[in-house]
Amino acid sequence: MDNDIKERIKYLVDLLNKANIEYYINDNPTLTDNEFDSLLDELIKLENKYPKYKLDNSPTSKVGTSVISEFQKVEHPTPMFSLSDVFNEEEVRSFGKRVEKEISNPEFVCELKMDGLAVSLIYKNGKFVSAATRGDGRVGEDITNNVKTIKMLPLTLKEDIDLEVRGEIYMEYSVFEKLNEERERDGLQLFQNPRNAAAGSIRQLDSSITKSRNLSMLLYHLPNTNLSTHYETLELLKRVGLPTNPNTKLCKNIDEVLEYINYWSIHRPELEYPIDGIVIKVNDIASQRILGSTAKYPRWAIAYKFPAEEVVTRLDDIVCTVGRTGQITPNAVLEPVKVAGSTIRRATLHNAKYIEEKDLRIGDFVVIRKAGDVIPEVVRPVIERRENVTSYIMIDRCPICETRLVYSASKIDLICPNVNCPARNVNSLIHFAERDAMNIDGLGEKMMEDFYNMGFIKDITDIYKLKSRREEIIELEGYGNKSVDNLENSIENSKNNSLERLLNGLGISGIGLKTARVLARKYESIDNIINASLEELESIKDIGHILALNIREYFDNENNLKLINELKELGINMNYLGQKVIQDENFTNKKFVITGTISFMSRDEIKALIESRGGEAIDSVSKKTNVVIVGENPGSKYDKALKLNIEIWDEEKFKSLI
Ligand code: IVH
């Protein structure tokens, strides 16, 4: 009897922990809310009655549990400031002059600006107590359990002191590359850069996932100290056993600061971790207090941001790919080279005109530029090093189906006109499953290509018939019962997507998620769109004549109607499930720009929310922008908004208005 109870408790703990992971991390609920609640209730009752059988990893225990439902908000004892950015020597010098106006002969400490996410740690009596993200600077999120998994974190200091200490959590390049290789293999979306990977890893609800991500951490700031210089605070941190960056320098004047900047601009590629600039701090803490701070930034420190990084590598070849609409894109095949934190092997060359204008030839040494998250670009050939090169002649037949190519309406791009071209088909399928479309997690590019080549998925409807191939898939290398279960669940879940995702997924020319949302919201069901006249469609703001023609052309095509009917029969939702536009004076008819990370909502969710209240989310800040929503680590859009005096909403304000 006792054994039965023990078994049952273990079973429930495993089941509920697994369900939590699926729900919170994989976005893939495996139990209904009712099932979850009643199983949890059963577990709580059993644990209360038989406390000796309660397991350490039970989802009912808060401390030590590997899965928590969400991060607690915590107020920072001292607010966490961000830094204002400068981009060139002149701006660094004018910072020096501003300081010198109030402080005579200031000394500066120069540090590498780690490209990760800011963290605040609390130690009491030499013992680690808690860790929090920056959040909006005043309130962050409690990430204590996850920070505990970072190997560089000492749980006990060498001295019994109380500290509130700030630093950066980041991911080394080698860890980042390995992680992305694994994700590629598993068909998961790749992280754009080590910073995103670090941020994504620290915001895991399961600490064991954070642990497996091998994060690093360095500390660089004590907001409250009795010591007289910043340099001494760094020495204190080191002395008590906290990890600090050894590449820090005390500079006597701005010329020495500029020397440091120049040194690291050249030697940056030798580092094993990403940095995006240099932080310059006034050393004397009494002087820091005199200089004070603005609402957001200290006046005693700035961040010098590196310009986009450029490297030279060889253009080994130019190969063309075929997009889902048949568009032919020439791509540079490059001798692999590291730029701004990632290894670049390919870069788009857009079209034949681009190759011609830049005078790129196969065998050329070329300059590659990449800044932060931006896609790498081929800037120019290094003419001085040109020898043994061959001119590229643009292809005139599809590299996949060999159909003769035609020019697009722009007369610049070439198109494969064959609607049955395998490359077009597979790319359409990949697009259908993508995050912004039907969001079928696990059915990534590589898997879709494999399934297409094996004949498992020939068209969209086959995705929803994949269950019948279960045995065949399990036999393939790398697919176990569990991964096939996950895949089947994601496919099943995608049937309940709101209409706009399906509309985007269908690949109607020119219709992305944003326009799809406009259509879905207006017409509410696919049948209403099918029956909408050209005149009606083109009268919709954001649609216009060309898109209206594309929509009509798509729905006038018998094959497309057949596809939609089959999808209906397979149980795919064809209705809009979101809210109708509600009037809200804070949003309606206003243009919004979002910069930085908002902790409680993704970009897409914020955009959807803005649109659901009659506002518009746009990409760049101009005088026409009404509001800039500023999250953690904002980009240059924030500075531009300040310059143009545009209304700013921080996370708190945004939250209060929604
Ligand atoms: S000092 C009041 N030092 O850069 C001073 N920040 O753009 C607070 N960062 O939020 C920051 N390396 O996340 C400082 N050596 C360093 C840094 C550093 C990276 C980050 C930090 C901060 C952001 C500001």
Side-chain angles (χ1 to χ4, degrees):
M1 164 75 181
D2 256 13
N3 253 352
D4 287 350
I5 290 158
K6 218 169 137 184
E7 280 294 316
R8 181 73 187 160
I9 288 182
K10 184 170 180 321
Y11 171 77
L12 289 171
V13 167
D14 288 348
L15 182 74
L16 292 169
N17 277 343
K18 187 167 173 277
N20 260 336
I21 292 174
E22 290 300 327
Y23 184 86
Y24 287 114
I25 295 155
N26 299 335
D27 212 7
N28 175 32
T30 49
L31 298 174
T32 66
D33 287 357
N34 278 345
E35 281 168 338
F36 187 92
D37 289 344
S38 79
L39 291 167
L40 187 68
D41 193 47
E42 186 191 347
L43 179 64
I44 293 170
K45 284 187 181 130
L46 284 173
E47 285 176 344
N48 285 342
K49 206 163 164 199
Y50 306 99
K52 63 178 173 180
Y53 293 141
K54 182 168 171 174
L55 296 169
D56 284 344
N57 63 339
S58 168
T60 60
S61 44
K62 269 228 167 318
V63 184
T65 171
S66 59
V67 177
I68 49 173
S69 61
E70 61 179 22
F71 295 99
Q72 299 292 315
K73 296 274 180 244
V74 276
E75 190 161 343
H76 299 298
T78 322
M80 280 180 89
F81 280 103
S82 180
L83 296 171
S84 81
D85 293 334
V86 296
F87 297 91
N88 53 43
E89 175 176 340
E90 200 189 323
E91 290 176 335
V92 174
R93 285 196 187 278
S94 75
F95 165 71
K97 290 209 180 91
R98 277 200 307 278
V99 171
E100 276 165 15
K101 262 193 192 160
E102 299 189 51
I103 313 292
S104 53
N105 298 326
E107 283 185 336
F108 301 95
V109 176
C110 284
E111 294 167 17
L112 301 182
K113 184 169 178 325
M114 316 299 302
D115 197 8
L117 65 139
V119 65
S120 182
L121 309 181
I122 308 271
Y123 283 88
K124 290 235 159 70
N125 246 325
K127 298 270 179 284
F128 171 70
V129 178
S130 61
T133 61
R134 197 174 83 87
D136 63 2
R138 198 178 58 78
V139 177
E141 283 182 320
D142 185 340
I143 48 167
T144 308
N145 283 340
N146 288 351
V147 169
K148 271 188 190 165
T149 70
I150 299 177
K151 287 196 202 93
M152 287 161 101
L153 174 98
L155 290 174
T156 309
L157 301 179
K158 290 182 186 154
E159 292 175 24
D160 293 344
I161 47 169
D162 290 354
L163 283 185
E164 185 182 6
V165 57
R166 308 273 155 83
E168 199 86 351
I169 293 174
Y170 60 93
M171 189 177 273
E172 289 195 348
Y173 287 129
S174 56
V175 177
F176 168 70
E177 279 178 12
K178 197 164 152 260
L179 174 64
N180 261 355
E181 274 166 27
E182 283 168 13
R183 292 179 72 84
E184 186 162 22
R185 212 181 44 223
D186 296 344
L188 297 171
Q189 202 173 12
L190 301 190
F191 286 114
Q192 289 243 7
N193 52 40
R195 175 167 37 83
N196 286 352
S201 305
I202 211 69
R203 294 200 83 260
Q204 289 292 332
L205 296 160
D206 180 351
S207 305
S208 68
I209 296 185
T210 311
K211 188 170 181 196
S212 73
R213 297 283 171 85
N214 231 329
L215 293 170
S216 304
M217 183 178 63
L218 287 175
L219 285 319
Y220 48 63
H221 180 57
L222 276 184
N224 302 303
T225 173
N226 297 327
L227 295 171
S228 55
T229 65
H230 175 64
Y231 205 75
E232 285 169 56
T233 65
L234 295 178
E235 281 172 342
L236 168 89
L237 298 183
K238 204 162 25 166
R239 192 175 72 231
V240 299
L242 286 162
T244 53
N245 197 321
N247 301 311
T248 298
K249 191 168 175 240
L250 183 59
C251 297
K252 294 259 168 291
N253 51 47
I254 282 291
D255 282 327
E256 283 189 22
V257 168
L258 289 163
E259 263 173 46
Y260 180 91
I261 291 178
N262 288 340
Y263 178 87
W264 283 109
S265 301
I266 297 165
H267 292 273
R268 179 184 178 199
E270 294 160 21
L271 292 167
E272 280 159 8
Y273 46 80
I275 62 171
D276 60 341
I278 302 294
V279 180
I280 305 146
K281 301 173 180 172
V282 170
N283 188 29
D284 182 61
I285 287 171
S287 305
Q288 289 183 1
R289 292 197 184 110
I290 292 170
L291 289 159
S293 56
T294 65
K296 200 96 184 172
Y297 304 129
R299 286 201 184 85
W300 49 266
I302 47 161
Y304 165 83
K305 296 289 277 283
F306 289 129
E309 203 177 315
E310 289 190 350
V311 293
V312 172
T313 191
R314 201 173 34 226
L315 175 61
D316 283 341
D317 203 355
I318 295 176
V319 295
C320 287
T321 48
V322 190
R324 69 185 160 91
T325 54
Q327 178 157 332
I328 304 291
T329 309
N331 296 282
V333 179
L334 303 162
E335 198 102 309
V337 63
K338 248 194 173 151
V339 207
S342 34
T343 306
I344 308 299
R345 294 181 171 82
R346 292 222 174 190
T348 176
L349 296 175
H350 307 285
N351 48 50
K353 190 162 168 249
Y354 186 90
I355 301 173
E356 199 183 306
E357 281 174 2
K358 299 231 172 227
D359 186 21
L360 298 170
R361 316 219 185 141
I362 296 170
D364 260 335
F365 282 93
V366 289
V367 176
I368 310 294
R369 180 191 295 157
K370 185 173 186 284
D373 297 349
V374 178
I375 299 167
E377 59 166 335
V378 178
V379 187
R380 60 169 185 279
V382 186
I383 304 283
E384 308 84 70
R385 293 182 69 182
R386 181 173 272 174
E387 50 183 61
N388 296 333
V389 293
T390 41
S391 297
Y392 176 70
I393 299 165
M394 189 64 187
I395 53 170
D396 58 0
R397 286 188 178 271
C398 173
I400 306 297
C401 68
E402 299 192 344
T403 304
R404 188 169 285 282
L405 302 177
V406 296
Y407 275 104
S408 70
S410 70
K411 301 266 184 292
I412 295 175
D413 293 317
L414 280 168
I415 304 251
C416 167
N418 174 12
V419 285
N420 295 318
C421 171
R424 287 184 64 159
N425 288 344
V426 79
N427 284 323
S428 304
L429 289 165
I430 290 168
H431 169 74
F432 183 83
E434 259 167 15
R435 180 167 276 216
D436 271 356
M438 294 300 268
N439 191 19
I440 306 180
D441 217 15
L443 192 50
E445 225 174 290
K446 178 80 185 56
M447 197 184 283
M448 192 68 95
E449 274 170 13
D450 287 350
F451 286 1
Y452 182 82
N453 292 333
M454 286 183 284
F456 292 179
I457 299 179
K458 296 183 291 303
D459 65 33
I460 291 171
T461 60
D462 289 334
I463 297 176
Y464 295 97
K465 298 175 198 157
L466 209 57
K467 254 192 168 155
S468 63
R469 303 266 188 182
R470 188 182 168 92
E471 298 312 315
E472 287 166 273
I473 296 173
I474 286 176
E475 273 172 23
L476 302 174
E477 208 187 304
Y479 294 88
N481 263 314
K482 204 172 142 222
S483 64
V484 177
D485 280 349
N486 285 342
L487 178 62
E488 286 178 1
N489 278 332
S490 330
I491 293 175
E492 200 56 33
N493 286 340
S494 77
K495 289 182 176 173
N496 302 323
N497 283 334
S498 184
L499 173 62
E500 63 275 19
R501 288 188 170 276
L502 175 66
L503 285 176
N504 181 23
L506 291 174
I508 306 168
S509 182
I511 307 293
L513 187 57
K514 197 172 163 193
T515 335
R517 212 175 266 134
V518 172
L519 284 172
R521 210 179 276 138
K522 168 139 180 83
Y523 288 102
E524 297 191 335
S525 78
I526 203 147
D527 289 335
N528 290 341
I529 303 177
I530 293 174
N531 294 326
S533 68
L534 181 69
E535 294 70 42
E536 196 184 330
L537 287 165
E538 63 188 2
S539 71
I540 303 172
K541 183 174 165 279
D542 296 324
I543 301 278
H545 183 61
I546 304 277
L547 287 187
L549 276 177
N550 292 351
I551 297 165
R552 272 287 23 113
E553 189 184 347
Y554 185 89
F555 290 113
D556 287 339
N557 180 316
E558 278 302 312
N559 289 332
N560 294 335
L561 292 181
K562 199 170 143 242
L563 166 72
I564 287 160
N565 276 334
E566 279 185 51
L567 289 174
K568 255 186 212 168
E569 275 161 26
L570 287 162
I572 284 85
N573 170 56
M574 303 268 161
N575 296 313
Y576 179 54
L577 305 177
Q579 302 151 315
K580 297 202 79 169
V581 176
I582 47 171
Q583 299 297 308
D584 177 338
E585 58 173 7
N586 292 314
F587 290 85
T588 307
N589 294 331
K590 288 188 181 172
K591 289 192 164 59
F592 290 80
V593 171
I594 311 157
T595 176
T597 314
I598 296 289
S599 65
F600 59 93
M601 261 184 157
S602 73
R603 274 282 161 103
D604 280 346
E605 285 167 333
I606 301 172
K607 285 185 179 168
L609 183 132
I610 291 170
E611 283 162 19
S612 73
R613 296 184 186 207
E616 191 183 347
I618 54 172
D619 289 329
S620 54
V621 179
S622 73
K623 279 187 197 142
K624 287 188 186 148
T625 312
N626 298 96
V627 176
V628 175
I629 300 175
V630 179
E632 191 176 5
N633 278 330
S636 57
K637 291 175 190 174
Y638 178 50
D639 299 311
K640 195 157 177 203
L642 288 176
K643 264 186 211 146
L644 295 176
N645 220 357
I646 289 166
E647 186 174 346
I648 307 269
W649 292 357
D650 61 12
E651 181 162 321
E652 283 302 293
K653 166 104 190 201
F654 174 55
K655 205 171 189 177
S656 70
L657 293 175
I658 59 171

